[in-house]
Amino acid sequence: MYFVAAALVVLSGLFYAAGNHEIGSLGADVCRYGGSFCDNPHYMLVAGGLAAAWGRFVSVR
């Protein structure tokens, strides 16, 4: 679950950079397929936080 949380945080950064036109032509392709996430990258960040919290909650030690 921590892997999923990390992937969502990385995707949040990618969508943030694409939404602010910081990664060139790749950003146009990213925003074409994930337009709402380019407009609101914090959705992915919140999902990553929830995934990390859930992973912490269900981890067995």
Side-chain angles (χ1 to χ4, degrees):
M1 190 52 89
Y2 292 125
F3 176 75
V4 171
L8 288 171
V9 170
V10 169
L11 284 173
S12 172
L14 175 72
F15 283 119
Y16 176 79
N20 289 326
H21 308 291
E22 295 177 358
I23 54 175
S25 64
L26 177 65
D29 291 334
V30 169
C31 285
R32 184 171 3 145
Y33 294 113
S36 66
F37 296 123
C38 284
D39 296 336
N40 302 305
H42 64 277
Y43 289 167
M44 297 295 266
L45 189 61
V46 169
L50 289 173
W54 181 255
R56 177 79 176 172
F57 180 70
V58 299
S59 67
V60 176
R61 290 187 185 232

